[in-house]
Amino acid sequence: MRLEAGVQGDGRMRTGEKRQIYLIGFMGSGKSTVSRILSGRLKVPCVEMDEELERQAGKRITEIFREDGEACFRAMESRLLESLGESPPCVVSCGGGAVLREENVRAMKSGGVVVLLSASAATIYERVKNSRTRPVLNGHMNTEYIEALMREREPFYRAASDLTVETDEKTVEEIAGEIIAGVESYRDTQKAGKE
């Protein structure tokens, strides 16, 4: 029996078909921060994909993009997602572009439940405006560019997600609580559909 990304009322993981909770969304939507809180509440490890990729490559994401190119980075991302599907239960904070590859979406959907964290372009800008570690935004740190890129990626996020949680004007604890309730409800619905 495999472990599912569902939760019990006491916040522990429960048994079932799938194991992981994958957080997806545009950069600055709150994936990293929320994943750490979820990890603590669910008592499972947190995997920050960008940090893990940096560890594996021995260099920063910005260096991977600059030295090896985006295609190399995306291939590394795909390999990591594939391996996470077979790992013990965890909460995974995915890179903002992870959903751009179909094989990544398949890996996430087969390994767990995919939760889209959504925020407005203005909120995203406020969260990332002082960051120098967002290679896709280098030279384009403005709301208009963020909004255009969000529109471009939105269909990918929606198609990949099993549920969506809006993050604008919410605390991290509120967001984590909504995710836990949403995952539980989603799993119950999936289970009922199989009976």
Side-chain angles (χ1 to χ4, degrees):
M1 179 178 285
R2 294 174 64 191
L3 290 180
E4 173 180 7
V7 293
Q8 299 176 359
D10 62 4
R12 292 179 296 126
M13 299 298 260
R14 67 181 180 196
T15 58
E17 295 180 7
K18 297 183 179 184
R19 298 183 273 208
Q20 317 311 6
I21 295 176
Y22 295 96
L23 300 183
I24 64 169
F26 199 77
M27 62 191 88
S29 61
K31 299 179 303 285
S32 296
T33 304
V34 172
S35 66
R36 287 188 292 273
I37 299 299
L38 272 177
S39 168
R41 287 180 63 176
L42 298 175
K43 299 171 182 37
V44 298
C46 172
V47 175
E48 172 62 54
M49 281 188 59
D50 286 349
E51 289 176 8
E52 180 59 22
L53 292 170
E54 287 179 340
R55 187 191 67 72
Q56 289 177 7
K59 52 185 156 183
R60 309 273 311 157
I61 298 296
T62 52
E63 294 171 308
I64 298 170
F65 266 73
R66 185 177 60 248
E67 297 169 12
D68 306 314
E70 185 173 357
C72 177
F73 174 77
R74 297 296 175 205
M76 292 171 61
E77 214 173 34
S78 295
R79 286 190 300 274
L80 178 56
L81 280 168
E82 190 66 35
S83 71
L84 287 170
E86 299 303 318
S87 70
C90 60
V91 176
V92 182
S93 173
C94 298
V99 299
L100 300 178
R101 287 184 136 184
E102 186 61 36
E103 64 261 37
N104 293 353
V105 175
R106 280 193 305 271
M108 287 186 281
K109 286 192 167 289
S110 71
V113 62
V114 183
V115 181
L116 170 60
L117 299 185
S118 181
S120 70
T123 297
I124 297 292
Y125 175 74
E126 285 303 315
R127 292 175 180 170
V128 303
K129 67 183 178 186
N130 296 318
S131 173
R132 298 293 171 246
T133 61
R134 313 279 182 171
V136 175
L137 293 181
N138 286 350
H140 304 287
M141 192 62 77
N142 60 70
T143 306
E144 294 77 19
Y145 183 80
I146 291 170
E147 191 168 359
L149 192 54
M150 287 174 70
R151 270 194 312 273
E152 182 182 305
R153 290 185 176 182
E154 186 72 16
F156 294 96
Y157 291 136
R158 296 288 173 194
S161 64
D162 295 313
L163 61 114
T164 300
V165 175
E166 302 293 332
T167 65
D168 288 311
E169 300 180 24
K170 293 179 184 169
T171 68
V172 177
E173 287 294 335
E174 288 171 330
I175 297 164
E178 283 186 40
I179 292 169
I180 290 169
V183 166
E184 190 168 333
S185 176
Y186 176 80
R187 288 293 173 222
D188 289 345
T189 300
Q190 294 299 303
K191 184 178 177 183
K194 291 179 182 178
E195 293 176 350

